[in-house]
Amino acid sequence: MLRRLADQFEISSAAHVAANGIERDADWFLLKLQEEMGELTQAWNRLTGRGRAKGRSPEEMRRDLADETADLLGHLLLFARSNDIDLAAAIERKWLFQPAEAPKS
């Protein structure tokens, strides 16, 4: 399930970088994770009153938080994919449980 999701993020990311002339080298994946974590932190700070709301409503700030969380997850999956990390196996080993499989259709 995680690998399939990572593959979907890869398709989207590859199209985005190609359209914008961005080169993804080995460092790019880690640097993007850091960037996205910063954006998630900024969204959290706004939502919790620790940063400027910049005219955003509470609903918009919650949506921003969700969007930045999605970006962080996507870039984490891209990082794992680019480094050939089996996240499901790592989760099972580190967290001592098996990630749920996608429902069979």
Side-chain angles (χ1 to χ4, degrees), residues 6-53:
D7 290 345
Q8 290 174 302
F9 276 105
E10 172 58 26
I11 291 166
S12 181
S13 178
H16 172 77
V17 298
N20 291 286
I22 297 168
E23 181 184 336
R24 297 185 305 174
D25 60 14
D27 290 339
W28 183 88
F29 293 95
L30 185 59
L31 294 172
K32 283 300 287 185
L33 265 177
Q34 183 68 36
E35 177 185 345
E36 296 302 336
M37 188 65 209
E39 291 174 7
L40 178 61
T41 302
Q42 185 177 47
W44 176 255
N45 284 344
R46 268 194 216 113
L47 182 65
T48 60
R50 294 178 181 101
R52 294 176 296 139

Side-chain angles (χ1 to χ4, degrees), residues 57-93:
S57 71
E59 295 78 23
E60 289 172 317
M61 288 188 286
R62 290 226 34 97
R63 187 180 63 229
D64 292 344
L65 184 68
D67 289 352
E68 295 306 335
T69 302
D71 282 349
L72 184 61
L73 174 62
H75 282 285
L76 179 62
L77 291 172
L78 289 170
F79 175 81
R81 186 180 188 280
S82 74
N83 287 285
D84 200 27
I85 295 169
D86 183 342
L87 278 179
I91 290 167
E92 185 176 347
R93 181 178 59 252

